[in-house]
Amino acid sequence: MSDQPASDHLSCSDCHQLNCYRRDKRFPDFCLSVTPRGAADIDAEIEKVKGLYLEEGSDRSMALAAAEIEGLYYGRLTRVEEIIAFAKRIGAKKIGIATCIGLIDETRVFVRVLAAKGLDSYSVLCKVGSIDKTEIGVPPEYKVQQGCHESLCNPILQARLLNQAGTDLNIIVGLCVGHDSLFIKHSEAPVTTLITKDRVLGHNPAAALYTSGFYYKRLLQEEKE
């Protein structure tokens, strides 16, 4: 029996042609751009999605803004500057910030930057509501510091308060893994990320991948059942 995965289990990470970008090579047989999966008609699906980009509305305005920023400023603007450029291109006036308490200083600087660029902001801290973790069933031993009140991160309330504030674009500043997922799920405004939390690597999670051949080779060690 072959150890090779079935073609319907292959995806973009298995491709070494990347022909979808420049069309200067060839599409592999399993390419998601040309090969249907299940009952899906890939050509029809592509046309349907293209229609969303062509239809006037928020999807089109965000897609055009993102492409314009990439084309004009590739490798020239920082993430902070790209977010500002994106906000202005989609007509966002009020910027919501869902911030981790551990990055409140960075958020304060970001608020000043937004103000300098003519953008209003409204920030909500992850500990808003001040609900102790045990109140939702988190065992006391899972507190970082035991024997005292320790508020849970509250991304749903962060999202709801930003929804009530009527923000046009919401920015994540260092929310924990999973908390960011909940925030995105409950946010009514589009969401992008300024800082992705990684407490070990100074909020640079890609460093673990860059060093997986040596310092973080444990990442590639198979887990035993």
Side-chain angles (χ1 to χ4, degrees):
M1 182 180 294
S2 172
D3 291 332
Q4 294 295 320
S7 61
D8 60 350
H9 289 149
L10 296 173
S11 61
C12 293
S13 59
D14 299 296
C15 176
H16 297 280
Q17 299 297 318
L18 307 182
N19 186 51
C20 54
Y21 185 31
R22 300 288 187 192
R23 293 207 176 196
D24 53 357
K25 301 182 181 68
R26 70 173 186 83
F27 292 116
D29 294 339
F30 62 84
C31 178
L32 302 185
S33 293
V34 296
T35 305
R37 297 295 169 98
D41 181 334
I42 187 59
D43 292 329
E45 190 67 15
I46 290 171
E47 287 303 310
K48 186 186 299 182
V49 170
K50 187 164 71 173
L52 295 176
Y53 293 126
L54 291 170
E55 182 180 324
E56 289 301 327
S58 60
D59 288 342
R60 176 172 173 77
S61 65
M62 286 192 287
L64 292 177
E68 182 177 331
I69 291 166
E70 181 186 24
L72 290 175
Y73 305 117
Y74 194 92
R76 293 170 53 198
L77 295 187
T78 64
R79 180 91 181 182
V80 169
E81 293 168 311
E82 286 189 341
I83 287 174
I84 292 166
F86 179 71
K88 291 188 173 184
R89 278 167 172 76
I90 65 171
K93 304 294 185 184
K94 191 171 187 178
I95 309 302
I97 306 171
T99 180
C100 168
I101 192 171
L103 288 119
I104 189 63
D105 289 339
E106 290 83 349
T107 291
R108 290 179 178 130
V109 174
F110 185 46
V111 165
R112 289 167 51 203
V113 171
L114 292 174
K117 302 305 178 184
L119 294 170
D120 191 16
S121 65
Y122 193 88
S123 56
V124 182
L125 195 73
C126 62
K127 301 302 183 182
V128 65
S130 196
I131 302 170
D132 191 83
K133 291 177 177 179
T134 58
E135 292 185 48
I136 68 162
V138 176
E141 58 268 26
Y142 285 173
K143 288 186 174 183
V144 177
Q145 184 174 330
Q146 299 178 19
C148 64
H149 178 96
E150 185 168 286
S151 294
L152 59 83
C153 293
N154 200 339
I156 295 178
L157 185 55
Q158 285 180 291
R160 290 172 70 89
L161 290 174
L162 291 177
N163 294 344
Q164 292 169 18
T167 54
D168 303 309
L169 175 67
N170 288 335
I171 313 298
I172 290 175
V173 178
L175 297 188
C176 302
V177 171
H179 296 144
D180 53 0
S181 302
L182 280 169
F183 177 78
I184 293 167
K185 178 180 178 181
H186 289 270
S187 173
E188 292 177 358
V191 180
T192 191
T193 299
L194 175 57
I195 301 175
T196 301
K197 175 177 283 175
D198 191 319
R199 298 179 182 91
V200 174
L201 297 173
H203 311 308
N204 178 22
L209 305 179
Y210 299 147
T211 59
S212 61
F214 191 75
Y215 294 110
Y216 283 93
K217 60 185 177 183
R218 68 172 186 262
L219 294 174
L220 297 175
Q221 294 172 353
E222 293 188 9
E223 291 187 358
K224 305 297 182 183
E225 291 291 338

